[in-house]
Amino acid sequence: MNASTFLTGPLLLLQLCVTTVLSFFARLLDKTFSWTVGACEGPGSDPDVNKASPNAVTPTSVNYHFTRKCNYKCGFCFHTAKTSFVLPLDEAKRGLKLLKDSGMEKINFSGGEPFLHEKGDFLGKLVHYCKQDLQLPSVSIVSNGSMIKEQWFQKYGDHLDILAISCDSFDEATNQLIGRTQGRRSHLDNLYKIQNWCQQYKVAFKINSVINTFNVDEDMTDCIIQLNPVRWKVFQCLLIDGENAGEEALREAERFTISEQQFQDFLDRHSSISCLVPESNEKMRNSYLILDEYMRFLDCRGGRKEPSKSILDVGVSAAIRFSGFDEKMFLKRGGKYVWSKADMKLEW
Ligand code: SF4
């Protein structure tokens, strides 16, 4: 053993000790850092991440409520006039194009009353754009029917597949009680007039009814058979916090709600009508992709409408993760059906 060997031994030992201590601290630091990262970015810490759907959702069928304003005052309304905002036409078209590029096949325009803004011209231009430019298989509207003029059908009827008119009763007094009317005007006269125009201008005619305390005992069979809609959507009156229930709401719909059994009795009474499509609260709540006036998806899972960011700001795939959309329920409630008038076997 020479001197250098003798000297190298303790040095090596010291070096080894230092390396071990350093690596221990390095591992400790590394672990501490990992835990910190986990705490900040891991699932469960960000409330927004918790609300997001982990699955990719295709916006096959979208309901765009481009306005909240309405000339009616239905007591159970669950999309109330909380703002008077409407997007500029070009921005609305940009959003519709983004949806089409993400897989949208059907667009439904709704409100508020969609024929109110610019006397239906804004709506007509969107309908024309969706059918002619975007070539969507299905373009539809839900309206209360009170603002529609024959000239609208002459100008835009070709581009519209389905027009749904809301009607909850064939008794004018009941419509008055519900608020489904403007002043003393007849809601039913409009309904029959529009059914005729739909025939004349080759638009599929649909009826939507909300079953509530005031119409739950009615028998509508004869009137529905006479009007012969392609589809009769029958909804159970639904409470949405902040819209028709709770402190910030513009309506108090509690007195309109009915039980599951009452809803079932209504359906049983109308079981002979083959075009009837029932929607209980359970089926309805999360099975619609709803876009509000800013093109934000509305998530109803918590019993109120929580908005996502706008698709105009973050794109469709980032926004739709916060829509709360239940695709299985959408299919279960028959959300996908023959929705293009070209494919319907209708006698015009
Ligand atoms: S017609 Fe009635 S339910 Fe529809 S938006 Fe107007 S007030 Fe609401």
Side-chain angles (χ1 to χ4, degrees):
M1 183 185 285
N2 59 29
S4 67
T5 314
F6 181 77
L7 277 173
T8 315
L11 263 177
L12 251 178
L13 203 65
L14 184 69
Q15 225 172 4
L16 255 172
C17 284
V18 170
T19 317
T20 312
V21 170
L22 280 178
S23 96
F24 171 76
F25 276 111
R27 265 186 282 134
L28 190 70
L29 276 172
D30 189 37
K31 224 168 191 173
T32 311
F33 181 66
S34 301
W35 290 334
T36 315
V37 169
C40 289
E41 294 184 0
S45 60
D46 181 347
D48 278 352
V49 169
N50 282 340
K51 281 189 280 174
S53 159
N55 306 320
V57 178
T58 305
T60 313
S61 174
V62 177
N63 295 274
Y64 175 27
H65 296 247
F66 66 82
T67 178
R68 282 178 170 269
K69 285 176 78 178
C70 187
N71 56 329
Y72 276 19
K73 292 187 174 59
C74 306
F76 49 68
C77 180
F78 55 85
H79 203 76
T80 51
K82 303 197 100 175
T83 79
S84 56
F85 182 81
V86 178
L87 277 171
L89 186 65
D90 284 348
E91 279 296 275
K93 284 183 179 175
R94 183 165 77 83
L96 291 164
K97 172 82 168 64
L98 291 175
L99 288 161
K100 160 78 200 250
D101 293 344
S102 301
M104 177 170 71
E105 293 174 33
K106 179 181 191 287
I107 182 74
N108 179 54
F109 295 107
S110 186
E113 172 46 47
F115 282 88
L116 203 57
H117 188 57
E118 296 177 2
K119 296 184 175 160
D121 229 36
F122 183 87
L123 173 64
K125 285 171 186 162
L126 291 184
V127 165
H128 179 273
Y129 176 72
C130 285
K131 201 45 137 181
Q132 287 305 112
D133 297 55
L134 299 184
Q135 300 269 306
L136 288 184
S138 184
V139 181
S140 67
I141 300 171
V142 176
S143 161
N144 66 32
S146 63
M147 308 290 294
I148 308 178
K149 301 268 181 292
E150 188 173 4
Q151 290 94 302
W152 194 95
F153 279 92
Q154 290 164 346
K155 208 165 166 187
Y156 302 111
D158 266 1
H159 315 300
L160 183 64
D161 291 279
I162 306 167
L163 177 59
I165 302 296
S166 308
C167 179
D168 311 318
S169 175
F170 290 90
D171 174 0
E172 294 283 16
T174 307
N175 286 326
Q176 293 278 342
L177 274 173
I178 291 171
R180 185 81 90 184
T181 182
Q182 188 178 10
R184 293 273 134 203
R185 287 196 213 163
S186 165
H187 182 67
L188 296 174
D189 285 356
N190 283 329
L191 182 73
Y192 286 97
K193 198 166 60 183
I194 292 163
Q195 189 258 4
N196 263 315
W197 285 336
C198 281
Q199 280 243 315
Q200 202 180 327
Y201 294 97
K202 299 183 174 33
V203 173
F205 175 69
K206 183 176 160 186
I207 298 175
N208 286 356
S209 302
V210 179
I211 310 310
N212 61 82
T213 319
F214 298 97
N215 62 2
V216 69
D217 296 322
E218 198 170 321
D219 188 341
M220 307 184 188
T221 309
D222 292 345
C223 297
I224 295 292
I225 288 173
Q226 189 195 346
L227 282 160
N228 193 26
V230 291
R231 219 166 144 84
W232 181 32
K233 269 271 187 94
V234 174
F235 302 95
Q236 181 184 358
C237 183
L238 177 69
L239 290 183
I240 299 274
D241 196 45
E243 294 282 354
N244 62 10
E247 273 180 19
E248 304 149 41
L250 298 181
R251 298 284 198 284
E252 288 174 9
E254 284 85 354
R255 68 196 176 98
F256 287 88
T257 54
I258 54 168
S259 67
E260 297 291 326
Q261 188 55 53
Q262 283 178 296
F263 186 59
Q264 191 54 52
D265 291 345
F266 183 91
L267 298 179
D268 292 346
R269 199 177 314 126
H270 296 87
S271 59
S272 62
I273 299 179
S274 57
C275 67
L276 191 159
V277 181
E279 272 186 35
S280 62
N281 287 177
E282 189 216 354
K283 273 193 190 163
M284 198 178 160
R285 200 181 299 273
N286 306 318
S287 66
Y288 285 84
L289 268 176
I290 304 171
L291 270 185
D292 76 356
E293 66 275 23
Y294 301 99
M295 286 197 155
R296 304 178 301 182
F297 286 108
L298 297 179
D299 179 351
C300 300
R301 280 176 299 180
R304 54 183 295 118
K305 291 176 171 173
E306 296 291 349
S308 70
K309 292 197 169 117
S310 172
I311 63 167
L312 297 169
D313 295 331
V314 298
V316 175
S317 58
I320 207 168
R321 295 175 61 230
F322 296 88
S323 64
F325 180 59
D326 182 343
E327 202 163 19
K328 275 195 197 130
M329 190 56 92
F330 164 73
L331 295 171
K332 192 175 157 189
R333 72 162 169 82
K336 215 164 176 189
Y337 58 99
V338 179
W339 52 32
S340 178
K341 69 179 173 185
D343 299 331
M344 294 178 196
K345 292 181 181 64
L346 296 175
E347 288 168 20
W348 303 109

